[in-house]
Structures are given as C-alpha cells and as structure tokens.
Amino acid sequence: MDKISAHISYKEGIRSRTADRLGLDNNPNEEQLKCMRDVALCLFEPLRKWVGGPIQITSMFRGEELNSAIGGSKRSQHMKGQALDLDDTFGYKTNAEMYHYIKDNLDFDQLIWEFGDDNNPHWIHVSYVSHRPNRKKLTVAYKKNGRTVYEHREHK
C-alpha cells in the first residue's frame, strides 16, 4: 500500500522515530487502516484543501507498544487509527487557524489545543470516528506544576 489518501502516504501515517529506535512494529491491522482512511478522507483532506498546501502530520497511527513507549493515554485514539497530530510547519495557516477551521466547519470527535499560548498551540490533535456520532469534544492541554492537564473546554 502506498497511500492512505490523496495527500497522506502509508509511510507518513505510520512514521515514528521512537518505533524505529526501539525496533517496534507500528503497522496497523485492517480495522485500524480503515479508521486511518476515514480520518484522512473526512478531516485531513478537507482541511488540507482549505489550508491550500501541505500540513505536517507529526503523529497518526501508534501501535499499542509505541503508544506505551511514549507515555500516551491508554485510551488514545491514535492506537485505533482515528487521530492525527498536526503542525503548521509549512506556514500556510497557523495551528490556531486550523483549530478554529476544524471546530467551525468539520465533523470531529475530539479537538485538542496542545500547549502553546493563548494565540497559537504548539500543535493540534484531532480525531474522527465513523462507528458512532462524533462528540465534537473540545479540550485544552497545558502544564500545571509540571504535569499535563486536559481541560474540556473551547479555546477562545
């Protein structure tokens, strides 16, 4: 398989330096791959069209071993192939602009403003499911006393 969608290669969808370094298999099964295609087609591709250029995917699929190795949530939608972490590396739109576009225009399950400041997150996390209605859950992640806090609220 070469492509998950028009603008996401299979290699990009499973890429992980941590998995490579630790020798972990980070290949999805058929159900996880179906979910990766769903999130790509229903979220990423419409977002990319609006952005007008490439968007950096910093994380898409994470197998259970990889997710554990990086300290990810035991309920991470990345392990199901349902989530993307995105960054404005290429400068077409800011992370904040992408966050607000997704929030206002696309169907999503969860959208997280990941750290950063009041003007721009360091990256955004977005997920999509096709087996039930999406929750449109808005969350802000920040550090408090050295610990990560996830607050379920909209970032203004």
Side-chain angles (χ1 to χ4, degrees):
M1 157 172 284
D2 292 334
K3 293 279 210 179
I4 292 170
S5 70
H7 297 99
I8 302 175
S9 70
Y10 180 79
K11 184 177 177 181
E12 183 177 26
I14 66 166
R15 179 187 62 231
S16 167
R17 289 185 193 146
T18 302
D20 291 346
R21 189 178 75 248
L22 298 176
L24 302 176
D25 177 14
N26 197 47
N27 288 290
N29 63 32
E30 285 302 313
E31 178 61 26
Q32 293 160 329
L33 187 56
K34 179 200 173 298
C35 292
M36 291 170 74
R37 286 187 186 117
D38 290 345
V39 74
L41 294 174
C42 296
L43 266 172
F44 183 82
E45 292 298 336
L47 178 65
R48 191 184 188 286
K49 182 176 181 182
W50 175 77
V51 165
I55 303 166
Q56 177 72 45
I57 297 171
T58 57
S59 183
M60 189 173 191
F61 177 72
R62 286 188 215 141
E64 194 172 328
E65 282 185 292
L66 172 59
N67 193 66
S68 179
I70 65 162
S73 166
K74 292 182 188 334
R75 297 183 315 270
S76 174
Q77 289 178 292
H78 287 283
M79 293 188 299
K80 296 177 182 179
Q82 298 170 336
L84 295 161
D85 289 344
L86 304 172
D87 195 359
D88 70 341
T89 305
F90 300 103
Y92 287 88
K93 300 286 185 186
T94 67
N95 289 335
E97 288 172 317
M98 290 192 293
Y99 171 94
H100 288 291
Y101 181 81
I102 292 167
K103 177 179 70 72
D104 295 338
N105 297 283
L106 299 176
D107 191 24
F108 63 91
D109 193 53
Q110 185 173 28
L111 180 60
I112 306 176
W113 182 284
E114 297 272 8
F115 308 101
D117 58 28
D118 287 342
N119 298 313
N120 201 48
H122 286 309
W123 73 91
I124 57 174
H125 166 100
V126 62
S127 63
Y128 176 88
V129 298
S130 57
H131 65 283
R132 62 166 165 74
N134 283 288
R135 300 172 293 169
K136 297 229 177 205
K137 184 177 183 180
L138 298 170
T139 304
V140 176
Y142 60 93
K143 292 283 187 185
K144 183 174 183 179
N145 300 324
R147 300 196 65 154
T148 299
V149 175
Y150 291 95
E151 191 173 302
H152 301 295
R153 65 176 170 88
E154 179 177 348
H155 192 281
K156 301 293 179 185

